[in-house]
Amino acid sequence: MTKNEILRFQPPVAELLGREVIDVDTENGAATLHFLARPDFANRHGTVQGGLIAAMLDSATALALYAVLPVEQTAVTTNLNVSFLKPACIGPFVAVSKLLSRDHRYGETSAELRDPDGVVVATAVAKLRIVRRRMTTDE
């Protein structure tokens, strides 16, 4: 896989979350993504269930680190700290993430999730372990 293919890859969970990669900064480690929370994402209050918000932020924080890694490396989240700030209504969201720090084994990133009015509904800080990418025969 090329770097661009890695950054644009849509695993099934990304499709579930309605994820669209809008921009990736491969120099500084940052990403902008769109997500679409469907009606079946609602909790008993009619807002987006927190675990799905966390999944959106996990996706966004990881992409900020993937952006600066060489093709033979990837990363796995070891800690994701999410702060839920406002109820998130069903519909579209924008996530913006950035790389905070990185060494040869770990990276730390942050992200915020905004509703269509630009209101931040949740934020996250992630710690990720950098590992060697497993190449398959399909790649």
Side-chain angles (χ1 to χ4, degrees):
M1 286 182 114
T2 67
K3 178 80 168 194
N4 192 48
E5 288 170 331
I6 291 167
L7 296 175
R8 301 288 175 182
F9 178 70
Q10 284 284 87
V13 71
E15 291 184 26
L16 173 72
L17 296 172
R19 185 183 87 172
E20 180 185 356
V21 177
I22 302 304
D23 187 49
V24 179
D25 180 347
T26 58
E27 196 169 309
N28 300 305
T32 302
L33 304 96
H34 284 177
F35 292 95
L36 181 60
R38 303 182 327 223
D40 56 337
F41 288 13
N43 59 23
R44 70 180 70 209
H45 310 291
T47 57
V48 182
Q49 197 272 341
L52 292 163
I53 291 170
M56 293 176 194
L57 288 165
D58 185 34
S59 179
T61 54
L63 196 57
L65 179 56
Y66 295 165
V68 298
L69 293 178
V71 172
E72 65 275 2
Q73 291 182 326
T74 190
V76 293
T77 303
T78 60
N79 182 276
L80 181 69
N81 186 357
V82 177
S83 296
F84 300 99
L85 307 175
K86 302 264 184 192
C89 295
I90 301 302
F93 293 93
V94 173
V96 177
S97 61
K98 64 181 177 179
L99 178 64
L100 301 175
S101 64
R102 173 188 167 212
D103 61 26
H104 69 285
R105 294 184 68 188
Y106 291 96
E108 185 172 26
T109 60
S110 67
E112 57 183 32
L113 190 67
R114 294 180 179 269
D115 70 12
D117 295 324
V119 175
V120 178
V121 298
T123 61
V125 174
K127 294 183 181 183
L128 301 103
R129 172 78 164 96
I130 298 169
V131 296
R132 184 155 195 80
R133 179 179 301 282
R134 291 185 184 168
M135 298 295 189
T136 66
T137 56
D138 295 340
E139 295 182 56

